Amino acid sequence: MRFLFIVLTLFTCKAYSQKFDFTTPIKLSMQINSAAEELSPILSPDGKTLYFARALDPNNIGGEMGGTDIWIVKKNSSGEWQKATNNAYGWNNKYNNAVIGINKNGTVVYLLNAYERGSGISFSKFTNGNWTEPERISIPGMNQNDLAGCYMNSNFDVLLLSMKSKKSLGLEDLFVSLKDSIGSWSEPANLGSSINTGGYEISPFLSSNGNQIYFSSNGHGGYGDSDIFMAERLYDSWTVWGKPQNLGKVINSPKFEAYFSIQGDSIVLFSSNRDGDLADIYQSKVLERNEEIVIKDSVNRIVNQTKLLL
């Protein structure tokens, strides 16, 4: 009777996993997108300021063939985006610049650039009505010369990096550096072969709960040049992940998609060149639904065991 009870219980037991649908992406206005290339969009916590990187623009500090600049656009009182500017509080120079994270109240931004050397990670604080001069963050073992992109979480204790390294499995791989209780950062660790491939993995983004990573890759198959994927973190580890899931053909196209971010668990931003040669910024929205999954394998296994014991 005990085994029959287990079987009957399992037949009524259901596991729930969250799947995501997305609204059709909309290209943001010409106040933001241009004839140049727009990358790495990240929205402030209040949703009123958008930071992004622009490449191949003659108005960049380093000129058209210099590095990317940080561009900033704000909403007016009617909720419409105003004209973007790269007059970004001294955050731009001739090297690659981007905002790679924002704290929870929007008063600290984390920056791709070390400023005195042109590569690395820095931060700037909003104090007394002004943004402070960027301060360098020391990350041991980070390959600054081959750093392709980063994401800093809002708690300032998890840094995801896309870079080339002797520990890489292919081209750019994803790594993680963690801050300990005394404020020191660990040497970047490879996220492992579930995430990284012989191709490239770039533009990491971490969910607000720290359990899902979003990234772009050309090594996991998909719809086109590079697709955006999501993977679940397992066993509270930063190097053990579930199989990456393609976000689907609403987000991904036969062309390049990358730099995915979610603000408030619903507003989605990403870069794509689906409408041309250079990437623009698109906006979508998460439509969340619960999908019931019956654990058939477990039920069948215990049914078979029960039959042998009856």
Side-chain angles (χ1 to χ4, degrees), residues 117-292:
R117 296 181 185 175
S119 185
I121 309 296
S122 301
F123 67 93
S124 177
K125 296 181 178 180
F126 189 72
T127 304
N128 298 322
N130 294 293
W131 289 95
T132 62
E133 184 176 340
E135 299 178 50
R136 186 187 180 109
I137 299 169
S138 179
I139 310 293
M142 185 176 71
N143 191 344
Q144 295 182 174
N145 293 328
D146 291 320
L147 186 62
C150 315
Y151 177 74
M152 181 74 77
N153 73 335
S154 61
N155 291 330
F156 188 45
D157 57 7
V158 179
L159 175 65
L160 297 172
L161 307 103
S162 171
M163 65 182 186
K164 297 178 183 178
S165 167
K166 293 179 181 179
K167 300 178 181 178
S168 294
L169 303 180
L171 302 176
E172 291 89 359
D173 274 13
L174 298 185
F175 293 77
V176 64
S177 176
L178 303 174
K179 189 172 70 170
D180 62 22
S181 58
I182 61 173
S184 298
W185 290 89
S186 65
E187 183 173 339
N190 192 295
L191 293 192
S193 58
S194 293
I195 299 292
N196 293 312
T197 68
Y200 66 74
E201 282 69 44
I202 61 171
S203 67
F205 178 83
L206 191 66
S207 63
S208 58
N209 63 11
N211 291 329
Q212 294 87 31
I213 186 175
Y214 298 86
F215 63 97
S216 183
S217 172
N218 69 349
H220 287 284
Y223 296 92
D225 180 13
S226 68
D227 280 10
I228 298 170
F229 294 82
M230 184 277 288
E232 297 274 354
R233 191 159 67 95
L234 303 179
Y235 311 116
D236 202 30
S237 169
W238 289 99
T239 56
V240 182
W241 299 84
K243 182 179 179 180
Q245 303 297 312
N246 191 296
L247 293 192
K249 61 183 179 181
V250 174
I251 294 296
N252 293 310
S253 77
K255 289 192 150 184
F256 171 85
E257 276 78 36
Y259 301 100
F260 181 95
S261 66
I262 300 179
Q263 198 273 338
D265 295 325
S266 61
I267 299 175
V268 168
L269 295 168
F270 64 98
S271 294
S272 172
N273 68 346
R274 63 185 63 191
D275 288 336
D277 293 329
L278 298 178
D280 289 315
I281 295 173
Y282 289 78
Q283 180 175 320
S284 179
K285 187 175 181 180
V286 176
L287 298 175
E288 188 174 324
R289 60 184 171 87
N290 287 326
E291 182 176 275
E292 295 183 357

Side-chain angles (χ1 to χ4, degrees), residues 105-122:
N105 58 13
T107 58
V108 181
V109 298
Y110 308 105
L111 305 166
L112 175 63
N113 206 308
Y115 294 91
E116 73 269 19
R117 296 181 185 175
S119 185
I121 309 296
S122 301

